[in-house]
């Protein structure tokens, strides 16, 4: 079975003053994470105050844009086109909710390596998603 | 201070409707309130505490207390999705223990079926929700976010679709005896795994029903409970928790029940093996499996074995569950199965479940709720009740 992922209509993200830099970065093709200088940990989704230690000493760090599939599900009913909701574990550590795109939805597997790609929402904001860089995980 | 023995569940009522095109939402709340009061043998003038969640129309308690004509001195509108009503029972017991009210009414009602709701639609809670920009565009609905937990659990522990299917099979064995159940046909493992794939690996029959309706329960202080003519059901332990995405550290194979469960067991002074009947929140088959593990009925990763081969069928398995047919077959009003979980536990402890599924001499029961999103943020609430 082969189910090639089709591009979907994406709802525009509700950007806040604190998350504007994240979407400024996606517009230029970069995926940013927040890093906390107080506890030396990344977090996602991004906040001004670190959710791990509540310090305000957080800053934006550009990621490598690579990771692996932590889990996923292909929605096949009640949707105009099947799509894969997923958590990707970034190589920096955090697991982020995303979609798996530009791939065969029937060939996805947990552990598979992925890299970030960006898809436009209906208002032009760029949404980070991931595509497999090789076949099933070793 | 503990709530152990400080409050009794004196009234319980499940609305028989499953599709309520002919009634307003407020009227459904009123009907379940009246049903529970009649069941208890109390009047609405006896109620001095009211609890509802975001399913209540208008401004929640402000609208409903006025509509119902109540005069209350304590109220609470905590919302943790479908687990809200178990949390309300916990909060009502706290209020009663402190003398803040004597008789507490908790109501739930909704009409998702007649309004065409579907569990595959993307969910959002408004642009001000801090997570909205990082979830809504990805099409996080209900089915697919629960399915992600199932997928990972299968990967880590070797759980199979056939094992999950046994949970639906058990629910269907119970639902065949419930004339109000939406799905009354007994199904097989093969039928479940061969039903349409909705959100890989969950099939159509891994999902709960979508139903209109509602339910209500009433709690009262011990002195009042003893004057009523109903079998006495005492709340002896309760726990709550919230589980989120932990800033990116999320583990999708456990639920908030790992925290709410032990809190309830400790307060009750009992252990999982003492429980004779369990109502377990069953939005999907996987929801049940994870909570059974997290509550300590079996080890993490062994839920598949625990539920297989009729493990949850009353009279057959180790742990009779959801003997009304649960959300999987009977009723999941307003997409919130917490209230019906409490109600069936009360029926079991009173000996008022259907004779074909009644647990003989049921003295100790648990009700577990999980509201929100399994592989996302969710609330968990656990209640332990004893027949006196
Ligand atoms: Zn920190």
């Amino acid at each position: 079975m082969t189910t090639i992922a089709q591009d979907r209509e994406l709802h525009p993200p509700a950007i806040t003053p604190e998350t504007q830099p994240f979407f400024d970065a996606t517009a230029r093709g970069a995926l940013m994470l927040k890093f906390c200088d107080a506890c030396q940990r990344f977090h996602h989704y991004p906040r001004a105050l670190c959710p791990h230690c509540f310090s305000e000493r957080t800053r934006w760090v550009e990621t490598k844009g690579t990771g692996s599939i932590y889990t996923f599900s292909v929605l096949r009913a009640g949707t105009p086109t099947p799509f894969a909701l997923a958590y990707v574990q970034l190589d920096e550590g955090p697991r982020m909710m995303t979609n798996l795109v530009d791939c065969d939805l029937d060939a996805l597997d947990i552990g598979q390596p992925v890299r970030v790609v960006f898809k436009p929402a209906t208002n032009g904001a760029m949404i980070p998603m991931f595509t497999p860089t090789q076949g099933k995980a070793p | 201070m503990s709530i152990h023995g400080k409050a009794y569940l004196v009234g319980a009522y499940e609305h028989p409707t499953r599709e309520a095109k002919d009634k307003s939402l407020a009227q459904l709340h009123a009907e379940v309130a009246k049903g529970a009061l009649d069941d208890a043998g109390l009047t609405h003038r006896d109620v001095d505490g009211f609890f509802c969640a975001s399913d209540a129309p208008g401004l929640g308690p402000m609208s409903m207390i006025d509509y119902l004509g109540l005069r209350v001195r304590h109220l609470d509108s905590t919302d943790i999705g479908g687990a809200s009503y178990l949390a309300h029972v916990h909060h009502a017991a706290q209020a009663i223990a402190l003398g803040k009210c004597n008789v507490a009414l908790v109501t739930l009602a909704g009409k998702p079926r007649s309004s065409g709701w579907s569990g595959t639609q993307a969910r959002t809670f408004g642009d001000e929700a801090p997570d909205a920009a990082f979830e809504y565009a990805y099409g996080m609905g209900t089915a697919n976010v629960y399915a992600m937990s199932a997928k990972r659990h299968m990967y880590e522990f070797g759980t199979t679709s056939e094992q999950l299917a046994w949970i639906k099979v058990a629910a269907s064995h119970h639902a065949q005896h419930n004339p109000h159940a939406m799905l009354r046909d007994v199904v097989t493992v093969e039928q479940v795994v061969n039903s349409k794939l909705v959100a890989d690996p969950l099939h159509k029959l891994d999902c709960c029903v979508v139903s209109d309706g509602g339910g209500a329960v009433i709690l009262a202080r011990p002195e009042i409970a003893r004057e009523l003519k109903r079998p006495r059901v005492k709340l002896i332990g309760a726990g709550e928790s919230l589980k989120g995405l932990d800033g990116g550290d999320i583990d999708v194979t456990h639920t908030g029940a790992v925290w709410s469960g032990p809190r309830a067991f400790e307060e009750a002074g009992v252990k999982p093996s003492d429980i004779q009947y369990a109502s377990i929140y069953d939005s999907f088959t996987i929801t049940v499996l994870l909570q059974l593990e997290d509550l300590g009925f079996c080890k993490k990763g062994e839920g598949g074995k625990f539920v297989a081969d009729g493990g949850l069928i009353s009279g057959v398995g180790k742990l009779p569950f959801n003997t009304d047919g649960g959300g999987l077959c009977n009723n999941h009003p307003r997409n919130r199965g917490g209230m019906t979980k409490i109600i069936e536990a009360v029926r079991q402890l009173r000996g008022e479940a259907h004779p074909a599924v009644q647990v003989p001499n049921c003295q100790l029961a648990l009700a577990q709720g999980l509201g929100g999103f399994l592989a996302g943020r969710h609330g968990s609430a656990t209640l332990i009740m004893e027949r006196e």
Side-chain angles (χ1 to χ4, degrees):
Chain A
M1 213 169 49
T2 300
T3 309
I4 301 301
Q6 308 288 319
D7 283 349
R8 298 184 304 123
E9 200 168 276
L10 302 177
H11 195 274
I15 300 171
T16 65
E18 297 85 14
T19 60
Q20 184 67 51
F22 181 89
F23 290 97
D24 290 345
T26 62
R28 60 178 172 81
L31 177 66
M32 305 274 262
L33 279 178
K34 267 297 185 76
F35 181 79
C36 174
D37 282 321
C39 71
Q40 299 285 302
R41 294 177 68 187
F42 287 100
H43 71 261
H44 183 79
Y45 55 91
R47 278 152 259 196
L49 299 187
C50 170
H52 302 305
C53 76
F54 223 44
S55 168
E56 66 280 6
R57 290 170 58 204
T58 60
R59 61 183 164 90
W60 294 99
V61 174
E62 187 167 332
T63 69
K64 292 182 287 181
T66 53
S68 61
I69 300 173
Y70 169 68
T71 191
F72 70 99
S73 172
V74 178
L75 186 70
R76 298 175 189 272
T79 171
T81 177
F83 67 94
L85 178 71
Y87 281 109
V88 158
Q89 176 141 20
L90 296 171
D91 287 340
E92 287 80 7
R95 292 167 181 162
M96 69 175 277
M97 185 177 286
T98 190
N99 287 162
L100 302 170
V101 296
D102 301 339
C103 61
D104 176 3
L105 296 173
D106 297 332
L108 294 170
D109 211 357
I110 289 176
Q112 215 171 353
V114 292
R115 67 173 169 78
V116 72
V117 295
F118 298 90
K119 298 284 182 183
T122 51
N123 70 346
M126 298 304 279
I127 308 291
M129 297 187 172
F130 289 82
T131 192
T133 50
Q134 50 181 272
K136 296 206 176 195
Chain B
M1 186 172 184
S2 164
I3 54 94
H4 188 119
K6 299 288 173 54
Y8 288 64
L9 284 132
V10 297
Y13 179 75
E14 177 187 359
H15 204 294
T17 190
R18 299 293 180 266
E19 189 165 19
K21 287 189 173 127
D22 56 336
K23 292 188 198 296
S24 70
L25 183 52
Q27 171 64 8
L28 285 174
H29 275 270
E31 288 183 9
V32 296
K34 192 171 180 59
L37 286 166
D38 289 348
D39 179 66
L42 291 164
T43 74
H44 91 309
R45 206 42 80 220
D46 295 317
V47 174
D48 61 353
F50 180 71
F51 297 72
C52 65
S54 66
D55 56 278
L59 281 170
M62 188 142 64
S63 298
M64 292 313 302
I65 289 165
D66 180 45
Y67 182 75
L68 299 172
L70 302 176
R71 295 173 192 162
V72 308
R73 57 193 179 105
H74 192 84
L75 58 100
D76 178 339
S77 56
T78 299
D79 200 301
I80 48 170
S84 301
Y85 318 94
L86 297 99
H88 294 161
V89 166
H90 185 194
H91 300 175
Q94 293 169 14
I96 289 169
L98 286 170
K100 298 294 183 185
C101 63
N102 292 319
V103 174
L105 167 66
V106 187
T107 66
L108 153 81
K111 301 170 61 175
R113 189 174 173 207
S114 49
S115 60
W117 187 90
S118 161
T120 58
Q121 291 160 354
R123 302 284 296 274
T124 183
F125 297 91
D127 285 354
E128 302 282 3
D131 40 77
F134 303 93
E135 292 180 6
Y136 190 30
Y138 299 123
M140 191 196 82
T142 307
N144 56 0
V145 78
Y146 280 74
M148 287 202 296
S149 279
K151 193 85 173 177
R152 184 73 196 184
H153 200 273
M154 289 175 168
Y155 174 82
E156 286 190 28
F157 304 111
T159 306
T160 65
S161 288
E162 286 74 14
Q163 289 172 331
L164 288 180
W166 269 108
I167 297 168
K168 183 75 159 202
V169 170
S172 78
H173 272 266
H174 300 150
Q176 67 177 316
H177 305 292
N178 182 350
H180 299 299
M182 283 183 67
L183 307 178
R184 293 191 65 194
D185 292 338
V186 172
V187 297
T188 64
V189 167
E190 289 69 30
Q191 282 174 294
V192 178
V193 300
N194 290 325
S195 64
K196 184 176 155 185
L197 205 51
V198 172
D200 179 17
L202 298 180
H203 306 81
K204 184 170 172 43
L205 292 183
D206 284 297
C207 307
C208 65
V209 298
V210 175
S211 54
D212 297 348
V217 291
I218 295 170
L219 285 91
R221 54 189 301 123
E223 296 80 359
I224 294 169
R226 286 188 200 109
E227 288 169 10
L228 300 171
K229 294 180 176 63
R230 305 292 278 130
R232 283 203 292 279
V233 174
K234 181 165 67 174
L235 185 67
I236 60 170
E240 288 171 44
S241 67
L242 244 294
K243 180 170 183 279
L245 276 59
D246 294 338
D249 288 350
I250 185 170
D251 164 11
V252 301
T253 61
H254 78 267
T255 72
V258 294
W259 302 302
S260 68
R263 286 166 193 158
F265 279 113
E266 187 187 357
E267 189 165 49
V270 301
K271 52 189 190 302
S273 58
D274 297 327
I275 300 294
Q276 293 168 276
Y277 165 81
S279 284
I280 307 287
Y281 201 92
D282 56 346
S283 46
F284 297 89
T285 51
I286 185 65
T287 323
V288 175
L289 187 124
L290 292 194
Q291 292 170 101
L292 287 171
E293 293 177 347
D294 294 340
L295 291 168
F297 288 110
C298 61
K299 285 192 190 135
K300 181 51 68 182
E302 294 183 0
K305 264 183 275 178
F306 187 83
V307 303
D309 304 316
L312 301 177
I313 299 177
S314 187
V316 175
K318 299 172 282 286
L319 183 69
F321 100 125
N322 300 4
T323 40
D324 59 338
L328 288 169
C329 293
N330 170 29
N331 188 14
H332 196 70
R334 177 48 170 78
N335 310 315
R336 291 175 161 222
M339 179 62 78
T340 45
K341 297 294 157 294
I342 307 165
I343 293 169
E344 184 66 4
V346 169
R347 289 192 194 109
Q348 279 287 352
L349 290 167
R350 287 173 168 178
E352 294 177 355
H354 190 283
V357 296
Q358 174 68 49
V359 174
N361 192 27
C362 187
Q363 298 284 334
L364 202 57
L366 174 146
Q368 165 64 30
L370 185 141
F373 302 94
L374 194 64
R377 61 194 63 75
H378 63 249
S380 173
T382 311
L383 304 177
I384 298 174
M385 292 156 274
E386 185 178 51
R387 166 72 180 262
E388 189 175 78

